[in-house]
């Protein structure tokens, strides 16, 4: 039993570090406190079977690997995990790139129809918040939700810049709109300190 407990403690620590997660980030994903995760990693306690299954899914390893440690299936599991992460990142980048492709297509079509450059450059301004929305969705599903605060900040400022630029095209200066961004940034920073309910 002591060997299993030490194996679990060692593997949780190694897998967490491999996935570039802090104890707090892992705790939030599992809805536990970081103190509990710390106890698991020191071998003072062991997660119950339901949490071990959830952790195995999170780290993309088998339950047997999480409990027993390095075995014959480790290379295949590690390679599969890397492939999954690579494919997810590729899909995310392609989806974000689609926003710029659509903007380029709209730019070309409207320029050919109008035969002169007028408002078409605005398409690329509008593509930025769209790309950030796509990035936010994929980051929430597949990647580190803690990064959402940075993405949301970028999204907010890009939307304000888009509004400002659009009004400037019509020769209307609405630069005071960035004051909303300052207020919004304060809200986002405070929101980032709000944690999920945790239990031991």
């Amino acid at each position: 039993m002591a060997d299993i407990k030490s194996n679990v403690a060692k593997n949780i620590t190694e897998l967490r570090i491999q996935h570039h997660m802090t104890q707090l980030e892992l705790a939030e994903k599992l809805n536990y406190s970081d103190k509990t995760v710390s106890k698991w990693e020191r071998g003072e306690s062991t997660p119950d079977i339901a949490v071990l299954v959830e952790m195995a899914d999170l780290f993309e390893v088998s339950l047997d690997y999480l409990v027993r440690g390095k075995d014959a299936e480790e290379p295949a599991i590690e390679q599969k995990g890397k492939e999954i992460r690579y494919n997810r990142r590729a899909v995310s980048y392609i989806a974000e790139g689609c926003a710029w492709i659509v903007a380029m297509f709209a730019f070309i079509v409207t320029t050919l129809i109008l035969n002169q450059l007028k408002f078409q450059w605005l398409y690329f301004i509008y593509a930025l918040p769209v790309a950030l929305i796509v990035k936010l969705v994929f980051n929430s599903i597949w990647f580190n939700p803690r990064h959402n605060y940075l993405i949301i900040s970028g999204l907010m400022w890009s939307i304000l810049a888009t509004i400002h630029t659009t009004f400037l095209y019509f020769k209307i200066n609405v630069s005071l709109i960035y004051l909303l961004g300052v207020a919004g940034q304060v809200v986002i920073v405070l929101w980032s300190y709000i944690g999920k309910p945790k239990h031991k």
Side-chain angles (χ1 to χ4, degrees):
M1 182 65 183
D3 287 341
I4 292 177
K5 184 178 284 190
S6 63
N7 278 341
V8 169
K10 177 172 170 285
N11 291 330
I12 290 174
T13 305
E14 287 182 355
L15 289 166
R16 175 180 61 76
I17 292 171
Q18 285 174 16
H19 285 74
H20 309 291
M21 294 169 59
T22 64
Q23 288 184 343
L24 179 59
E25 288 169 347
L26 176 59
E28 288 178 345
K29 286 180 181 292
L30 300 172
N31 201 26
Y32 275 76
S33 70
D34 55 338
K35 291 182 180 178
T36 302
V37 172
S38 179
K39 286 183 179 179
W40 294 341
E41 293 189 356
R42 292 197 306 268
E44 295 177 6
S45 63
T46 304
D48 60 37
I49 189 67
V51 178
L52 286 172
V53 170
E54 187 178 355
M55 217 178 301
D57 291 340
L58 177 65
F59 292 136
E60 298 168 346
V61 297
S62 68
L63 181 60
D64 186 57
Y65 173 74
L66 188 61
V67 173
R68 296 181 185 275
K70 299 185 182 297
D71 54 22
E73 69 174 355
E74 179 194 0
I77 291 172
E78 185 177 346
Q79 182 61 28
K80 184 179 178 182
K82 286 181 179 178
E83 288 177 3
I84 290 172
R85 286 191 294 275
Y86 176 82
N87 290 339
R88 286 178 175 178
R89 203 161 291 282
V91 169
S92 175
Y93 290 151
I94 291 170
E96 292 169 35
C98 284
W100 300 102
I101 293 171
V102 170
M104 178 66 75
F105 179 78
F107 177 85
I108 293 170
V109 170
T110 53
T111 302
L112 289 174
I113 292 172
L114 297 175
N115 293 322
Q116 56 182 321
L117 187 65
K118 289 186 177 179
F119 59 86
Q120 292 92 323
W121 56 272
L122 288 172
Y123 295 143
F124 299 103
I125 304 294
Y126 300 149
L128 179 57
V130 173
L132 286 171
I133 289 171
V134 173
K135 187 177 188 68
L136 179 63
V137 170
F138 281 100
N139 189 71
S140 300
I141 297 171
W142 286 337
F143 306 118
N144 191 343
R146 297 290 295 179
H147 296 161
N148 283 353
Y149 302 113
L150 297 175
I151 300 171
I152 291 170
S153 292
L155 176 59
M156 177 190 67
W157 288 108
S158 68
I159 289 173
L160 292 175
T162 300
I163 295 170
H164 184 213
T165 307
T166 303
F167 274 93
L168 279 180
Y169 176 77
F170 295 103
K171 296 181 171 48
I172 302 172
N173 191 350
V174 290
S175 55
L176 287 176
I177 198 172
Y178 292 109
L179 291 176
L180 290 175
V182 174
Q185 192 65 62
V186 171
V187 171
I188 292 170
V189 169
L190 293 176
W191 178 29
S192 69
Y193 285 102
I194 300 175
K196 297 179 182 178
K198 303 178 183 72
H199 61 271
K200 293 188 177 181

